[in-house]
Structure formats: structure tokens, C-alpha cells
Amino acid sequence: MENKFDETRLGFAALLKFFQHEARFPKQKFEIPRTILAYIAKQLSLDPNLYAKYDWEGRSIKRHRVQIREFFGFREITVQDVEEMTQWLSEYVLYHDQDPTHIETFVHNRFRELKLEPPSTDRIDRLIRSARRFFSTANNTNFTYLAQFNFI
């Protein structure tokens, strides 16, 4: 961290600590609470207001995200990961719990367990909708199959 400008050092440290705690990056620049930024800035002997100058769009933050992911052993998700998460939700979660808030928590916990950086909120919502459709279709198929034998 010594080779970075002060605002870049503070931004990197803030991202690192946020990721360590949340297992994801902040969705918005100022999602990190001011008190946390002040604490990190104090540890680095920097002015917490420098964080406002941290470039949220440039190459530096992209490089920082890569470095932080690698440090914690995480990786970005793939299409296969999304398919596997959809199947996992359908098989292990939706059978027991249909509450949207609970399902989203299960998804985030599962991504953390697998050391995968979670996708955007919109993409997680689509993943959950897809899993629900898959679950519903599978249950309707099972119901129809059992009904033909008068098990229902």
C-alpha cells in the first residue's frame, strides 16, 4: 500500500475491509459508513475526506478488486456458477423456505462459502426467480406423476 496516493490508499483499505466483512464489494462509493472510513483513515494517518477523491470508475479500482479477491481466495462468478446456484436453491432451499429475504440471505451465504464474489442485486433477483420457476416446474411434474398413480 505504500506505493499508492493517499486517496488511493484509503480507498483500497476501505474496499479491503468492506470485502473482509461483507464478502462483497460496496454497491456504491458511500455505502461504507463514515465512522468506518474515519477509523481506517486514522490507522493510515490520513484525512477521511480523501475517500471522496477515490476514483470509483477507473482502472485503479478494478485492479484493487482483483487484488482483494485474490487475497481472500475469491473469484468472479461464471454462468456455470449461476446454474449451479439455481439448482442448489431449488433442491435445498426452496423446498423449505419461500421467504424472499431468507432466500437472498441463503444465496449470499452460499456465495461466501464457495468463495465467489456475488453478482449485482439485479442478477441475484433473476437467479432467484429462475430457481423458483425451476422448483415450481419440478414440483408440478412430480405432482402430475404421482397423481396418475392415485398417490395424491
Side-chain angles (χ1 to χ4, degrees):
M1 284 209 348
E2 293 174 16
N3 294 336
K4 301 182 186 319
F5 291 111
D6 288 347
E7 64 269 10
T8 307
R9 287 178 53 217
L10 181 56
F12 179 85
L15 285 178
L16 177 77
K17 296 311 285 180
F18 189 94
F19 194 92
Q20 182 180 26
H21 187 263
E22 299 289 329
R24 67 175 179 83
F25 292 108
K27 295 175 186 105
Q28 301 167 350
K29 186 174 189 174
F30 292 101
E31 183 178 351
I32 301 171
R34 286 176 132 353
T35 53
I36 302 298
L37 288 172
Y39 182 77
I40 293 168
K42 184 178 179 184
Q43 289 183 321
L44 297 172
S45 301
L46 296 172
D47 177 0
N49 294 320
L50 286 171
Y51 182 72
K53 295 180 182 178
Y54 181 56
D55 184 6
W56 196 252
E57 303 291 324
R59 291 182 309 193
S60 291
I61 192 169
K62 291 176 182 152
R63 189 173 59 253
H64 292 166
R65 287 172 176 245
V66 168
Q67 291 169 337
I68 292 167
R69 257 188 245 108
E70 287 175 356
F71 180 77
F72 288 110
F74 276 65
R75 66 177 174 78
E76 292 182 286
I77 64 166
T78 64
V79 172
Q80 182 177 345
D81 294 324
V82 171
E83 291 170 359
E84 289 172 2
M85 180 66 77
T86 301
Q87 186 171 353
W88 178 82
L89 277 172
S90 181
E91 290 178 14
Y92 298 103
V93 175
L94 294 173
Y95 182 75
H96 302 286
D97 196 339
Q98 293 286 321
D99 184 284
T101 306
H102 295 169
I103 295 167
E104 189 171 336
T105 300
F106 280 117
V107 168
H108 281 284
N109 290 341
R110 182 70 173 166
F111 278 131
R112 179 179 230 151
E113 180 183 302
L114 297 173
K115 292 196 171 229
L116 298 171
E117 179 188 353
S120 69
T121 303
D122 290 342
R123 191 154 181 210
I124 287 176
D125 290 344
R126 287 193 310 269
L127 183 154
I128 291 170
R129 283 195 308 272
S130 177
R132 282 185 158 161
R133 279 192 305 275
F134 182 79
F135 176 75
S136 177
T137 301
N139 282 341
N140 286 340
T141 302
N142 290 340
F143 182 79
T144 303
Y145 177 77
L146 293 175
Q148 74 182 353
F149 297 106
N150 295 321
F151 288 152
I152 300 176

